[in-house]
Amino acid sequence: MGEIRLMKGNEALAEALIRVGCDGYFGYPITPQSEVIEYLSKEATNRTGMVVLQAESEVSSINMLYGAAGTGRRVVTTSSSPGISLMQEGISYIAGAELPCLVVNVMRGGPGLGTIQPSQSDYFQATKGGGHGDYHLIVLTPYNVQEMVDFVKLGFELSEKYRVPAMVLADGAMGQMMEKVELFDQIPRRTEFPEWATTGKPHDKERRIVTSLFIEPEVMEQVNLRLQAKYRQIEAEETRFQTMNLEDAEYVFTGFGLGSRIAMKAMELAREKGYKVGLIRPQTVYPFPYAIYRETAPKIKGILDIEMNSGQMVEDVRLAVGDKTRVEFYGRMGGMIADPESVLKHFEKVYLGVE
Amino acid sequence: MTEEAIFAGFGGQGILSMGMILAYAGMIENKEVCWMPSYGPEMRGGTANATTIVSDTLISSPIISNYDTVVALNQPSVDKFEEKIKPNGTIIYDASNILRPPTRKDINIYGVAGSEIAIKLKNIRVLNMIILGSFIAARKTVKPESVYEALKKVLPERYHHLLPVNQKAFEEGMALI
């Protein structure tokens, strides 16, 4: 068993970045995730020699990440919603250049500069693009502080396996709250790098080129076909989710990250009142676990999706179930958080006709 | 056993630390714990609060609608959270600070003279430990020894000379119940 600590989500994530053998962090502070760069500045360089650099802006951070990822190093940036928006061009370039790296978004309310309070309104941006071009990130959504740690490791593993950038999509509450967490042991920083990495050209070797520029459309199409083939493989093999109480469920609550925690509590309250409610919680939102919703739909009377936005993941849930079951949505926006009692009331109102 | 508590008061009263110490103490006893602070401008002088959950089983949501126990160190916190206490739940408030005490008949109400004890100890900053003592005496969520252990974790080492006065404050607080 690894070391157990009580940690804030942001600090646990930072600790995991050190332990996973990260070579470099490039970022710019923004609430509610500034503890990440604060923690790394204090701890990282002394312990592993990891580079921790505060860039002059998020645009700069993401392009530093692009360059460093090109050398085959394990590199990461973290930010919150407005900062992640600034990074979209760079993320598209990294996806096009097929470089592994980790981008962490600790979401806050928007649009615009918005609020520093927690939100989940960047789901579309994270899963459906954000930047230009036909690309995807592998998107992991932690629902507790333990997964803030576990998904750092998983994110790098998946990203490196497929050469597709990965994102940890958390929210302000996940970053700020403290929970018990088990840390994995220190992984040494790598000393050998992949065959595509630009590590300096010896006289007797071919040049290695990392680029997202392919002027010839025939070549660009081949790059796209290769990317799409990878995405299909990721969709087939890397979908992750968790279910609870589906065996006898007549209704299913669903949500990701913080939304799924609130859904889980609402499920407990519903069960206390005798309603047979289960839970589906995606851990990856790209690839999205369409199959579990599709399989569950004919067996139940309806789904209630809970998110801190106007209804984003619910579009994927509806896509999964078609007309096989009814799908309702409950959400709060702009940094407000749905409370479990209100979720239960909404469920009783829309599904049971209880006012 | 699950304790769903909220600590609330003015920023600077040590509200967030109270919850954090309780969470640490819970962890020392191998319980599941979750501490969810309000963050942002309220930390710098407004009303601050920290939801703290200690449980023998998996904790679902860090966001909860109703509380087993509310600890209120100022009037706005009493006004805001009294109605959110579960029936047969508990409110503990600093009687020296509250002009309009809670009125519900279906909850346990403890008005403790925390600020008076703090003045007696010549250290108003230990008010949070006094009230935490009252909380533990009333709720028995964790053992006092676990709180003393937790204090060592939460208090940075350069302040460890203050451990005895904090422990004394905690004991005085327990005696108020």
Side-chain angles (χ1 to χ4, degrees):
Chain A
M1 204 162 164
E3 187 188 345
I4 306 271
R5 279 202 222 164
L6 184 68
M7 294 183 99
K8 261 190 174 193
N10 286 331
E11 293 174 347
L13 178 116
E15 177 64 30
L17 289 172
I18 300 172
R19 289 184 183 230
V20 84
C22 237
D23 297 295
Y25 172 94
F26 311 94
Y28 187 82
I30 177 171
T31 308
Q33 63 79 57
S34 296
E35 291 88 352
V36 177
I37 189 168
E38 187 186 350
Y39 190 95
L40 289 175
S41 304
K42 217 164 15 186
E43 295 274 330
T45 313
N46 292 340
R47 278 166 53 186
T48 63
M50 172 182 174
V51 170
V52 180
L53 200 149
Q54 179 174 333
E56 67 268 42
S57 75
E58 289 85 351
V59 175
S60 196
S61 318
I62 195 70
N63 285 292
M64 289 176 177
L65 190 72
Y66 182 17
T71 69
R73 264 69 174 182
R74 277 200 156 167
V75 287
V76 61
T77 185
T78 68
S79 189
S80 179
S81 306
I84 297 289
S85 290
L86 281 167
M87 293 183 187
Q88 291 304 324
E89 181 200 41
I91 291 173
S92 170
Y93 277 50
I94 294 169
E98 296 178 73
L99 293 175
C101 66
L102 189 66
V103 177
V104 180
N105 183 0
V106 181
M107 289 181 279
R108 58 188 247 182
L113 206 46
T115 165
I116 61 172
Q117 297 303 321
S119 170
Q120 300 187 306
S121 48
D122 305 345
Y123 178 91
F124 285 151
Q125 184 194 56
T127 61
K128 314 284 177 190
H132 59 282
D134 268 323
Y135 77 92
H136 281 291
L137 308 173
I138 296 167
V139 186
L140 304 166
T141 58
Y143 90 130
N144 62 12
V145 176
Q146 185 64 52
E147 286 189 344
M148 292 289 271
V149 168
D150 297 345
F151 287 176
V152 162
K153 191 151 170 269
L154 180 63
F156 273 116
E157 284 165 2
L158 293 177
S159 180
E160 286 159 8
K161 180 174 172 189
Y162 294 99
R163 291 179 61 187
V164 166
M167 174 176 272
V168 171
L169 187 65
D171 63 75
M174 219 49 74
Q176 294 298 325
M177 73 189 194
M178 281 180 113
E179 287 183 320
K180 197 160 75 170
V181 59
E182 183 182 350
L183 299 164
F184 54 85
D185 292 338
Q186 179 70 47
I187 297 168
R189 286 174 58 202
R190 268 194 305 235
T191 50
E192 286 176 22
F193 305 101
E195 87 291 341
W196 49 261
T198 51
T199 50
K201 180 191 167 310
H203 295 296
D204 54 345
K205 293 248 171 77
E206 284 278 300
R207 285 173 76 197
R208 295 169 181 172
I209 299 171
V210 171
T211 183
S212 69
L213 175 69
F214 304 94
I215 289 287
E216 302 293 334
E218 293 81 3
V219 180
M220 188 73 249
E221 186 180 44
Q222 289 307 313
V223 172
N224 268 288
L225 288 170
R226 187 169 67 237
L227 286 176
Q228 292 303 317
K230 282 202 283 194
Y231 299 147
R232 295 300 89 74
Q233 192 189 346
I234 289 167
E235 287 161 8
E237 292 175 18
E238 306 300 349
T239 304
R240 285 164 169 82
F241 61 90
Q242 195 188 19
T243 65
M244 288 173 85
N245 294 329
L246 282 193
E247 300 74 26
D248 66 340
E250 293 179 354
Y251 297 92
V252 164
F253 290 175
T254 192
F256 68 98
L258 180 64
S260 68
R261 297 278 297 260
I262 294 159
M264 197 186 295
K265 180 75 182 181
M267 173 188 74
E268 288 171 7
L269 297 173
R271 290 249 161 199
E272 279 169 24
K273 292 183 99 170
Y275 309 134
K276 289 181 176 164
V277 174
L279 182 88
I280 300 176
R281 172 176 85 83
Q283 290 167 298
T284 54
V285 286
Y286 182 85
F288 190 78
Y290 292 103
I292 183 66
Y293 292 97
R294 198 178 304 125
E295 289 157 17
T296 309
K299 303 174 202 160
I300 57 170
K301 296 178 185 168
I303 295 175
L304 178 60
D305 177 300
I306 298 111
E307 299 174 56
M308 284 347 99
N309 58 42
S310 64
Q312 300 194 11
M313 187 186 87
V314 71
E315 292 196 1
D316 282 319
V317 175
R318 290 201 170 108
L319 199 60
V321 305
D323 58 3
K324 296 286 183 294
T325 194
R326 191 173 149 193
V327 178
E328 294 286 343
F329 174 76
Y330 185 81
R332 296 291 298 269
M333 294 175 285
M336 295 302 288
I337 304 178
D339 72 295
E341 206 65 65
S342 308
V343 171
L344 182 66
K345 279 204 186 101
H346 188 76
F347 164 73
E348 289 180 313
K349 187 175 145 199
V350 298
Y351 278 114
L352 309 173
V354 181
E355 280 298 331
Chain B
M1 187 282 306
T2 297
E3 171 82 70
E4 296 180 326
I6 188 161
F7 297 87
F10 290 121
Q13 282 182 310
I15 299 294
L16 301 188
S17 310
M18 291 169 87
M20 202 185 288
I21 292 164
L22 177 63
Y24 260 111
M27 192 181 78
I28 287 164
E29 296 185 5
N30 286 321
K31 295 179 196 296
E32 297 300 319
V33 296
C34 182
W35 174 86
M36 173 74 213
S38 58
Y39 64 90
E42 63 266 54
M43 279 168 71
R44 297 168 183 92
T47 295
N49 65 66
T51 300
T52 308
I53 307 172
V54 178
S55 179
D56 294 325
T57 53
L58 179 81
I59 294 167
S60 51
S61 176
I63 312 295
I64 44 185
S65 316
N66 297 299
Y67 304 93
D68 295 310
T69 310
V70 167
V71 174
L73 294 198
N74 65 4
Q75 190 68 50
S77 301
V78 172
D79 298 345
K80 183 172 177 189
F81 292 111
E82 183 185 359
E83 63 180 64
K84 293 186 174 173
I85 300 168
K86 297 176 194 172
N88 301 317
T90 301
I91 184 165
I92 298 164
Y93 65 96
D94 179 20
S96 332
N97 266 328
I98 308 290
L99 293 174
R100 296 184 307 281
T103 54
R104 270 173 64 179
K105 302 283 178 242
D106 62 338
I107 54 172
N108 306 302
I109 299 173
Y110 299 97
V112 296
S115 293
E116 283 170 34
I117 302 287
I119 290 162
K120 194 186 92 186
L121 292 172
K122 297 191 172 59
N123 190 343
I124 193 66
R125 295 182 65 185
V126 298
L127 173 65
N128 63 341
M129 287 308 295
I130 296 167
I131 304 288
L132 188 62
S134 305
F135 173 92
I136 295 298
R139 298 294 303 154
K140 302 182 176 57
T141 313
V142 294
K143 298 190 195 75
E145 296 74 32
S146 307
V147 174
Y148 305 149
E149 275 302 301
L151 250 177
K152 287 183 202 157
K153 301 254 185 193
V154 175
L155 217 55
E157 226 155 84
R158 64 182 185 280
Y159 294 126
H160 273 196
H161 62 282
L162 296 172
L163 284 172
V165 65
N166 275 283
Q167 185 166 331
K168 171 81 177 140
F170 182 85
E171 286 163 358
E172 295 267 354
M174 286 188 73
L176 291 176
I177 296 294

